[in-house]
Amino acid sequence: MMQIRNIGVSVLKGGRHTPAQRVDLRSDGPVDDRVFAVVDLAAGRVLKTVDNPSLVGCEAHWQAGELVVEVVGQQLAATPGTDGRRVTLDYWGRAVTMTVVDGPWAPALSRLLGRGVALARIEAPGGVVYGDTVALVSTGSLERLALESGIPVDSRRFRSTFTIDTGDADAHTEDFWNGRKLEVGGATLLVGAGIPRCAVIDLDPDTGDRGSNLLKTLGGYRLEAGEINFGVYARVVRPGVVSVGDHVRLAP
């Protein structure tokens, strides 16, 4: 019997991956996941975590219209305003339409990153997600990586929506779910391809500091056709609410 071990979302793209007890999955993905992003208006692009690791240290919460972002120990809370600027920016070669928001966050984030940046709200959910809107990893895969690396592996390094407890199943059993439906709590997912990993997994999930060799270790036994896959993508085919502890079942 499989079940949901952990749930994680990040209101701020690239910000700290935050544990949640439940999440509402809609047809376009998890509600309140990657709603806002830090952007470079002059360069015309959304900032990437791998190039801006200090963003990982910023924890964001979005509730009842108020956005709270912690930047270097300072909590900045306000209702996002707008100056009417609607922009189309590049994210991994994809055009994403966003609205620039006013508030106390941009100055603090600019100081953190050492250059002028803005905060923008994504108009279409999933706009700044690299692949499908849901990401899955299994406990078996995490345990295998911990064994290979010789260090504990925090699942937040992989920024997955769901960590699934697969019991005594083999590591990377999720690789074989491609094309199958997965019932998770009150929702159903269609599982897709593996997730190619980069140096983001070597960032400390609380501070963004670099300090592990997990990508190198993973590449030692998972490199195939130039990609190092870990976990799988999925998309929502039946919306619903999913909570920690919910059963997970592969549909017949």
Side-chain angles (χ1 to χ4, degrees), residues 226-248:
E227 298 283 8
I228 304 173
N229 287 341
F230 191 95
V232 291
Y233 283 121
R235 60 182 177 86
V236 181
V237 293
R238 180 170 66 91
V241 175
V242 184
S243 301
V244 170
D246 278 353
H247 290 163
V248 177

Side-chain angles (χ1 to χ4, degrees), residues 155-187:
S155 63
R156 292 179 300 160
R157 289 181 179 273
F158 296 92
R159 308 181 71 80
S160 295
T161 317
F162 301 116
T163 301
I164 299 177
D165 189 336
T166 49
D168 58 2
D170 291 341
H172 305 290
T173 187
E174 62 269 34
D175 290 351
F176 302 98
W177 299 347
N178 191 356
R180 298 189 64 181
K181 289 183 178 179
L182 194 70
E183 297 172 357
V184 291

Side-chain angles (χ1 to χ4, degrees), residues 33 57 73 92 178:
D33 188 37
W92 289 104
N178 191 356

Side-chain angles (χ1 to χ4, degrees), residues 206-226:
D206 287 314
T207 65
D209 294 340
R210 302 185 191 276
S212 82
N213 290 306
L214 290 177
L215 185 64
K216 182 179 179 180
T217 300
L218 192 59
Y221 66 99
R222 291 289 290 174
L223 178 64
E224 184 176 352

Side-chain angles (χ1 to χ4, degrees), residues 110-168:
S110 296
R111 288 192 295 271
L112 174 70
L113 298 172
R115 68 181 187 280
V117 297
L119 188 68
R121 183 171 183 176
I122 294 87
E123 292 193 357
V128 292
V129 180
Y130 183 78
D132 285 326
T133 54
V134 175
L136 313 171
V137 297
S138 71
T139 53
S141 301
L142 291 166
E143 289 162 5
R144 169 72 188 278
L145 180 55
L147 181 65
E148 294 284 346
S149 65
I151 62 172
V153 177
D154 191 321
S155 63
R156 292 179 300 160
R157 289 181 179 273
F158 296 92
R159 308 181 71 80
S160 295
T161 317
F162 301 116
T163 301
I164 299 177
D165 189 336
T166 49
D168 58 2

